[in-house]
């Protein structure tokens, strides 16, 4: 921090410790000698959780631009304060929210509260309601290319080398059947082309799942916008709906979220995004700590196919 010019002359660092798992980035809690803590988030040339996967280091600059875009909005007020950015070190300094828990416990059976659903719906509305034009860096081309590969291509590659039976015995056969479903693969690729396109849209978080928010004594705060881009509002809504299903939330949770969001949605596109996100989280590299077996995963993959192809009842 001293090298970055972020450390006051009369302060020194007492300790540095990891702050959370850090899927994409190295995230550390820095404690100063006056007991103040801040979060130092650094991008490196790989995915922190999967070091063998290269990742664009400019995602740190994209994240800083996102914080700048939302700074004076209701969306920005429901995010931690952005304190500084260093392009040289691909680092962001972010206010520490203190004691808090992310939403990952949803995958272990915890119900996402109505208050939490309402808060996230309101945050999406605030974000999606921001008026552009946005900084060109928020097109986030390199990160979208990385994400597109792992959402639309890798899960359906018959030769990707991922041993799904090591995750859930019997899952490989189900995945291979889906991979060889030409109509499903074509529909997924069509959405992928739209994801990588340049159509006008709203500013999106890009990866709004339970790991992207923290519940604190001050309320719910959204974090980690490094996958942000401008596109159809159905993306953020659809990804979140998919994770309500993946985490076994009651159907009323989806209904409440959609009603609270209360904006015009293309429900055909929404369904496709939901299905694709379910599919890639079950048979792709970005696995979740799901507490379910093969039978439930089979049902979800069948639902995902129906949602993508528009054959859901």
């Amino acid at each position: 921090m001293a090298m970055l010019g972020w450390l006051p002359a009369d302060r020194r660092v007492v300790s540095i410790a990891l702050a959370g798992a850090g899927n994409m980035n190295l995230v550390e809690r820095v404690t100063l000698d006056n007991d103040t803590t801040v979060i130092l988030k650094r991008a490196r040339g790989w995915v922190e959780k999967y070091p063998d996967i290269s990742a664009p280091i400019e995602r740190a600059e994209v994240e800083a631009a996102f914080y700048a875009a939302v700074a004076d909005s209701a969306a920005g007020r429901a995010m931690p304060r952005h304190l500084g950015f260093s392009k040289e070190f691909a680092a962001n300094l972010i206010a520490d929210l203190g004691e808090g828990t992310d939403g990952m416990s949803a995958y272990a059976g915890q119900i996402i509260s109505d208050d939490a659903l309402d808060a996230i719906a309101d945050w999406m509305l605030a974000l999606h309601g921001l008026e552009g034009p946005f900084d060109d860096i928020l097109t986030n081309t390199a990160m979208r290319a990385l994400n597109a590969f792992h959402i639309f291509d890798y899960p359906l590659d018959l030769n990707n080398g991922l041993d799904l039976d090591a995750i859930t015995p019997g899952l490989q056969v189900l995945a291979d059947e889906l991979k060889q479903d030409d109509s499903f693969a074509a529909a997924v690729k069509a959405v992928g082309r739209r994801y990588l396109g340049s159509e006008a849209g709203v500013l999106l978080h890009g990866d709004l799942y339970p790991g992207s928010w923290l519940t604190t004594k001050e309320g719910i705060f959204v974090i980690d916008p490094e996958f942000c881009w401008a596109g159809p509002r159905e993306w953020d809504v659809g990804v979140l709906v998919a994770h309500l299903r993946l985490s076994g939330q009651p159907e009323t949770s989806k209904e409440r979220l959609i009603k609270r969001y209360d904006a015009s949605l293309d429900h055909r596109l929404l369904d496709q995004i939901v299905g694709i996100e379910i599919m890639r989280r079950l048979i792709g590299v970005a696995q979740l700590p799901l507490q379910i077996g093969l039978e439930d995963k089979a049902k979800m993959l069948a639902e995902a196919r129906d949602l993508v192809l528009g054959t859901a009842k």
Side-chain angles (χ1 to χ4, degrees):
M1 284 178 58
M3 293 174 64
L4 296 168
W6 289 339
L7 189 64
D10 59 343
R11 297 270 70 91
R12 65 182 180 85
V13 173
V14 173
S15 65
I16 301 176
L18 290 178
N23 285 338
M24 279 302 302
N25 304 287
L26 178 62
V27 184
E28 298 168 305
R29 175 171 285 106
V30 180
T31 302
L32 305 181
D33 57 357
N34 63 349
D35 291 330
T36 298
T37 60
V38 290
I39 299 299
L40 182 63
K41 185 175 181 180
R42 290 185 283 161
R44 302 197 274 188
W46 57 86
V47 177
E48 201 67 27
K49 187 175 180 180
Y50 306 102
D52 58 323
I53 300 177
S54 299
I57 202 165
E58 59 264 34
R59 64 187 183 273
E61 186 174 5
V62 172
E63 183 162 359
F66 183 96
Y67 275 108
V70 305
D72 298 320
S73 70
R77 289 189 288 275
M79 299 184 73
R81 285 185 302 117
H82 185 256
L83 304 174
F85 166 68
S86 167
K87 186 171 184 177
E88 179 182 2
F89 293 96
N92 283 287
L93 191 68
I94 301 169
D96 189 359
L97 295 172
E99 293 297 324
T101 56
D102 64 26
M104 295 298 286
S105 56
Y107 303 109
Q110 181 171 317
I111 298 299
I112 299 173
S113 71
D114 288 347
D115 287 346
L117 286 170
D118 290 350
I120 298 302
D122 291 347
W123 185 84
M124 283 194 296
L125 276 173
L127 176 67
H128 298 168
L130 292 178
E131 294 185 2
F134 303 110
D135 192 308
D136 286 346
I137 195 171
L138 291 173
T139 58
N140 210 0
T141 303
M143 281 290 278
R144 264 196 293 162
L146 172 67
N147 212 25
F149 173 74
H150 285 285
I151 295 173
F152 305 103
D153 299 329
Y154 180 90
L156 295 180
D157 181 354
L158 277 165
N159 300 306
N160 62 24
L162 182 61
D163 183 3
L164 293 170
D165 283 342
I167 298 169
T168 304
L171 184 57
Q172 191 68 58
V173 170
L174 296 178
D176 288 347
E177 289 176 356
L178 193 59
K179 292 176 185 184
Q180 296 176 77
D181 185 327
D182 292 340
S183 58
F184 177 79
V188 169
K189 289 184 181 298
V191 178
R193 288 192 293 272
R194 187 168 181 180
Y195 176 83
L196 289 173
S198 57
E199 65 181 271
V202 301
L203 184 59
L204 301 166
H205 179 278
D207 190 30
L208 197 57
Y209 80 114
S212 295
W213 70 75
L214 294 174
T215 301
T216 76
K217 62 182 181 180
E218 304 297 331
I220 288 181
F221 290 83
V222 177
I223 59 173
D224 295 342
E226 60 263 21
F227 283 106
C228 66
W229 56 297
R233 64 181 67 243
E234 289 80 9
W235 185 265
D236 277 349
V237 180
V239 168
L240 182 51
V241 168
H243 285 269
L244 295 180
R245 177 67 181 94
L246 285 161
S247 62
Q249 304 300 310
E251 182 64 24
T252 52
S253 295
K254 172 188 173 182
E255 295 168 358
R256 184 182 185 94
L257 177 75
I258 298 296
K259 183 177 181 180
R260 180 80 176 197
Y261 184 81
D262 193 28
S264 177
L265 291 167
D266 178 343
H267 285 273
R268 178 76 184 95
L269 177 60
L270 180 69
D271 282 350
Q272 289 187 305
I273 292 168
V274 173
I276 291 169
E277 180 68 6
I278 290 173
M279 176 274 296
R280 73 106 168 189
R281 290 292 192 165
L282 291 178
I283 66 172
V285 72
Q287 292 286 314
L288 297 164
L290 302 180
Q291 308 297 309
I292 58 175
L294 182 64
E295 183 177 354
D296 286 330
K297 289 187 176 184
K299 289 178 181 177
M300 287 190 189
L301 286 174
E303 290 174 18
R305 181 185 183 278
D306 286 340
L307 287 165
V308 170
L309 295 177
T311 55
K313 295 180 180 179

